[in-house]
Amino acid sequence: MDTLQNPGSFVISLDFELHWGVRDHRTVDQYRENLLGVRQAIPAILHLFEQYGIRATWATVGFLFFANRDDLKAAWPAELPQYRDTNLDPYAAFSEAGRNEDEDPFHFAPSLIREIQAHKGQEIGTHTFSHYYALAPGPTLESFRADLRSAKSAAAQYGIVLKSIVFPRNQISRPHIGICAEEGLIAYRSTEAEPWITAGNGLFNKARRLADAYLPLSGDGCATASLDHEYPIVRVSQSRFLRPWSKSLKGFEALRLKRILASMDAAANSHQTFHLWWHPHNFGVDLEENIAILTRIAEHYANLNRETGWSSRTMSEVAETILRAEKSQ
């Protein structure tokens, strides 16, 4: 596919999950400040995106769409995932959730979802219904299909047709991708462009990923989104995790920013895609410092857009461009 058909773009995806995404290793009390901070972080991020014309995909856990626990429980899929590690099972821990968003801002977020909806250019995608672990031992493929159908139903109550998926913990397999395509999704965030993200969780691998955020140890992360070779769904490869600001590493912030901006330059000049991602709860603390970094990134995008025409697109917009081109051939 030539660059006129697939010119590359600046893609941002956010894994919007609140406590459902971290509950297997952090309690609400342990992560309270980050989780409550999401209530200020999301409006701040949306304001910045609006200011600089940045479009983004908010991959949202389906549980967050519900106003109260009774409605959420009534929407559970017919087949639940049976994890061998019960610590992964949010259904088994459902008693942890409060009655509604006012009482429990850690497990419900309809007001935030509607705020995202109200901003132009923001796509709401799925992070599965229940923060589903696709590669964990136990659950069947049919339970994954049931989970996706529940996610689609939850989004439909807001008038949203889900088109994009981000797999929790980047746990992806070919059969799960096939089910996504069969259920009408057209884009998924893949790990091909930056395999360091999933290169293991040992101390050495974590250390080199951290170092790579500041130093060019791996590639620039640029990629070309492409149609899957087997299913009618587009791979939109991730490029870089936007690590939150760290007081202990603040002396290296210029290096971290330089690394990201250089990759954006490379993508814009080679008509490729640079895909930045993070979680809203990463901005839940140190919001001012995190927004300052994101502002520099947004300003750099705006300059590249003016100078090269490199554009900001959601995951589904990238996929639709590729699918249209494929259909016209």
Side-chain angles (χ1 to χ4, degrees):
M1 186 176 297
D2 63 37
T3 56
L4 292 177
Q5 294 173 315
N6 184 17
S9 52
F10 184 38
V11 176
I12 286 178
S13 60
L14 299 103
D15 301 8
F16 182 23
E17 54 193 34
L18 291 182
H19 190 238
W20 298 114
V22 299
R23 55 159 297 280
D24 58 311
H25 60 276
R26 286 176 177 167
T27 66
V28 166
D29 284 342
Q30 289 170 333
Y31 209 50
R32 178 179 295 271
E33 192 174 358
N34 281 78
L35 296 173
L36 287 177
V38 170
R39 303 279 160 173
Q40 289 74 49
I42 286 179
I45 293 168
L46 288 170
H47 175 75
L48 188 65
F49 286 172
E50 185 173 55
Q51 183 179 357
Y52 289 94
I54 293 175
R55 309 171 76 84
T57 296
W58 299 75
T60 306
V61 168
F63 281 11
L64 298 181
F65 284 85
F66 294 89
N68 59 70
R69 59 179 290 124
D70 291 338
D71 289 348
L72 171 53
K73 189 167 184 178
W76 283 8
E79 182 176 343
L80 302 183
Q82 302 297 320
Y83 296 104
R84 292 182 195 170
D85 179 358
T86 56
N87 192 46
L88 298 179
D89 188 353
Y91 298 99
F94 186 63
S95 60
E96 298 172 2
R99 287 180 298 179
N100 52 46
E101 186 177 16
D102 288 338
E103 180 182 296
D104 183 355
F106 312 107
H107 295 103
F108 303 94
S111 66
L112 291 175
I113 291 170
R114 294 199 184 281
E115 185 158 4
I116 296 167
Q117 271 191 293
H119 283 74
K120 183 180 179 181
Q122 305 307 302
E123 174 191 15
I124 295 179
T126 186
H127 203 35
T128 73
F129 185 66
S130 62
H131 203 262
Y132 189 104
Y133 299 102
L135 300 184
T140 65
L141 288 173
E142 283 310 305
S143 73
F144 178 70
R145 187 187 299 276
D147 182 280
L148 277 190
R149 288 179 175 176
S150 290
K152 289 163 61 179
S153 295
Q157 296 179 52
Y158 290 67
I160 297 166
V161 176
L162 296 177
K163 296 180 180 181
S164 303
I165 182 169
V166 170
F167 287 87
R169 306 279 169 84
N170 293 304
Q171 293 187 12
I172 306 172
S173 82
R174 300 300 304 160
H176 291 92
I177 292 169
I179 290 172
C180 290
E182 291 169 1
E183 292 299 320
L185 299 175
I186 62 171
Y188 73 96
R189 192 176 76 199
S190 72
T191 59
E192 285 89 341
E194 191 46 89
W196 284 41
I197 295 296
T198 53
N201 289 315
L203 288 177
F204 173 74
N205 287 318
K206 288 182 178 180
R208 71 173 186 171
R209 284 199 294 271
L210 175 62
D212 188 54
Y214 297 87
L215 302 170
L217 303 182
S218 67
D220 55 25
C222 301
T224 300
S226 60
L227 184 64
D228 188 88
H229 69 273
E230 187 176 1
Y231 306 114
I233 190 168
V234 172
R235 298 185 297 270
V236 187
S237 299
Q238 64 186 25
S239 300
R240 191 72 39 78
F241 172 57
L242 181 59
R243 292 184 174 275
W245 182 87
S246 168
K247 184 177 182 179
S248 62
L249 294 170
K250 64 180 182 180
F252 300 97
E253 282 300 289
L255 287 175
R256 181 166 74 101
L257 182 61
K258 181 180 179 181
R259 178 106 168 89
I260 292 170
L261 302 189
S263 293
M264 293 171 67
D265 289 340
N269 292 325
S270 61
H271 306 288
Q272 289 185 292
T273 291
F274 182 74
H275 186 166
L276 195 64
W277 71 278
W278 70 96
H279 312 83
H281 62 238
N282 297 136
F283 281 26
V285 296
D286 302 314
L287 179 59
E288 183 178 348
E289 291 83 359
N290 282 305
I291 288 293
I293 288 291
L294 188 58
T295 299
R296 293 287 302 278
I297 292 169
E299 290 171 345
H300 196 67
Y301 159 70
N303 289 334
L304 289 171
N305 175 255
R306 286 191 296 270
E307 294 168 4
T308 71
W310 195 53
S311 64
S312 170
R313 289 190 290 177
T314 67
M315 287 175 58
S316 66
E317 288 171 339
V318 170
E320 286 165 350
T321 298
I322 291 172
L323 290 168
R324 281 196 301 269
E326 188 72 19
K327 189 175 181 180
S328 68
Q329 289 182 350

